[in-house]
């Protein structure tokens, strides 16, 4: 089963893009091979470019506050684990307090001479050869401990934004429960009132992948074949979050 996530508005689309970049940074932070470093820097520079277009701190603060208020109402329910609820509320309160008081994530990267020296080369096909970027070749030859120290400094700049984005998306994801659905001849449409994103679980053995159109409260899914398969009824699970 593969999980697909589709945003229902521009704000959730931005969150998912940032989160995807954060996951790429974490997946390649070991620097065991030069390829790990290349993937890490590519994700880091994509983050810098995306963050230059938008500053999501205010939206994150507002959405986390909405989640904090929801948790407050849950405290009256008899089956709620009050200790876990209190811990989560404290975490959200800390993030809400820190976000507006923090500097714009990634703003200090513009002052990093090493990152500035190599950033442009990542947009050039084949532009990472040692003769193109000797400073990067030199950095890759440093002891692993030195490279990891640099990496921890870069990730430290993003720590607050990573924690806030991951916590919000987790709360959204946990708010939706999956239900069985069928796309007749590969097509399905429905309403998603007050949802930020939809999540799908699709059996890969069916040989089809989903695409989505629409936004806000109404959406349509179309399942397309990978190859020359005929499209019939596609079974999947859907959660509106």
């Amino acid at each position: 089963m593969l999980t697909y996530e589709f945003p229902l508005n521009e704000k959730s689309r931005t969150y998912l893009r940032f989160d995807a970049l954060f996951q790429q940074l974490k997946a390649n932070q070991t620097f065991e091979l030069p390829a790990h470093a290349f993937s890490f820097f590519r994700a880091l520079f994509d983050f810098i470019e995306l963050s230059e277009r938008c500053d999501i701190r205010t939206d994150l603060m507002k959405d986390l506050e909405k989640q904090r208020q929801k948790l407050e109402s849950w405290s009256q329910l008899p089956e709620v684990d009050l200790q876990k609820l209190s811990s989560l509320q404290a975490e959200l309160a800390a993030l809400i307090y820190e976000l507006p008081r923090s500097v714009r994530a990634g703003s200090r990267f513009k002052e990093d001479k090493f990152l500035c020296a190599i950033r442009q080369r990542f947009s050039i096909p084949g532009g990472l050869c040692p003769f193109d970027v000797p400073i990067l070749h030199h950095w890759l030859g440093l002891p692993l401990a030195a490279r990891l120290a640099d990496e921890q400094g870069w990730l430290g700049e993003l720590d607050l934004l990573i924690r806030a984005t991951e916590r919000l998306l987790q709360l959204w994801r946990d708010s939706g429960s999956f239900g069985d659905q069928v796309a007749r001849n590969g097509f399905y449409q429905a309403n998603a009132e007050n949802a930020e994103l939809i999540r799908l679980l699709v059996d890969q053995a069916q040989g089809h992948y989903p695409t989505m159109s629409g936004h806000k409260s109404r959406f349509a899914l179309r399942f397309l074949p990978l190859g020359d398969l005929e499209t019939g009824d596609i079974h999947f699970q859907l959660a509106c979050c």
Side-chain angles (χ1 to χ4, degrees):
M1 302 290 283
L2 293 181
T3 302
Y4 295 88
E5 293 183 331
F6 292 101
L8 292 172
N9 52 61
E10 189 61 33
K11 181 176 57 178
S12 56
R13 179 178 291 107
T14 299
Y15 291 158
L16 289 174
R17 283 176 175 162
F18 272 112
D19 186 58
L21 292 175
F22 296 151
Q23 301 312 314
Q24 292 174 39
L25 289 171
K26 292 180 180 180
N28 292 285
Q29 65 181 350
T30 59
F31 291 166
E32 294 176 355
L33 298 172
H36 295 158
F38 294 156
S39 297
F40 178 91
F41 287 127
R42 195 173 300 280
L44 185 64
F45 295 142
D46 283 350
F47 165 82
I48 294 173
E49 185 172 345
L50 187 58
S51 65
E52 288 174 347
R53 301 177 189 174
C54 62
D55 184 1
I56 67 171
R57 290 175 299 171
T58 301
D59 285 337
L60 274 173
M61 182 184 65
K62 292 178 180 178
D63 286 325
L64 288 170
E65 176 59 28
K66 291 178 183 178
Q67 296 299 314
R68 192 193 66 78
Q69 293 175 5
K70 286 183 181 179
L71 294 179
E72 186 69 30
S73 65
W74 291 357
S75 63
Q76 307 302 319
L77 300 177
E79 66 273 17
V80 169
D81 184 334
L82 293 178
Q83 184 175 0
K84 178 180 280 189
L85 183 65
S86 177
S87 175
L88 185 53
Q89 286 177 311
E91 179 187 354
L92 294 185
L95 291 171
I96 292 168
Y97 177 83
E98 292 176 51
L99 279 168
R101 292 164 177 80
S102 63
V103 298
R104 185 167 183 161
S107 60
R108 295 195 179 101
F109 293 154
K110 297 179 181 179
E111 303 171 5
D112 190 306
K113 294 182 179 179
F114 172 70
L115 294 180
C116 292
I118 68 174
R119 181 180 177 184
Q120 280 190 323
R121 307 306 305 184
F122 276 76
S123 62
I124 300 174
L128 299 180
C129 294
F131 62 83
D132 281 317
V133 219
I135 187 174
L136 177 59
H137 189 59
H138 171 79
W139 185 86
L140 289 171
L142 294 177
L144 179 60
R147 286 179 280 137
L148 290 178
D150 287 339
E151 174 257 338
Q152 288 300 316
W154 295 322
L155 286 183
E157 291 289 324
L158 307 180
D159 178 67
L160 177 60
L161 195 61
I162 291 175
R163 288 188 289 117
T165 304
E166 288 183 341
R167 175 55 70 192
L168 177 62
L169 288 176
Q170 182 186 8
L171 290 170
W172 280 359
R173 289 162 177 152
D174 291 345
S175 69
S177 56
F178 285 101
D180 293 329
Q181 305 292 343
V182 179
R184 301 298 179 187
N185 295 318
F187 182 77
Y188 177 90
Q189 61 181 351
N191 294 322
E193 295 292 340
N194 301 318
E196 304 287 352
L197 57 91
I198 62 171
R199 306 184 73 210
L200 310 178
L201 287 177
V202 183
D203 186 351
Q204 191 174 14
Q206 295 181 98
H208 285 66
Y209 62 92
T211 62
M212 190 198 80
S213 59
H215 65 288
K216 293 185 178 179
S217 62
R218 187 160 185 81
F219 66 91
L221 297 172
R222 187 171 297 278
F223 287 83
L224 303 177
L226 186 63
D228 299 326
L229 296 175
E230 292 187 4
T231 301
D233 291 347
I234 303 297
H235 296 264
F236 65 101
Q237 295 181 44
L238 169 71
C240 296
C241 306

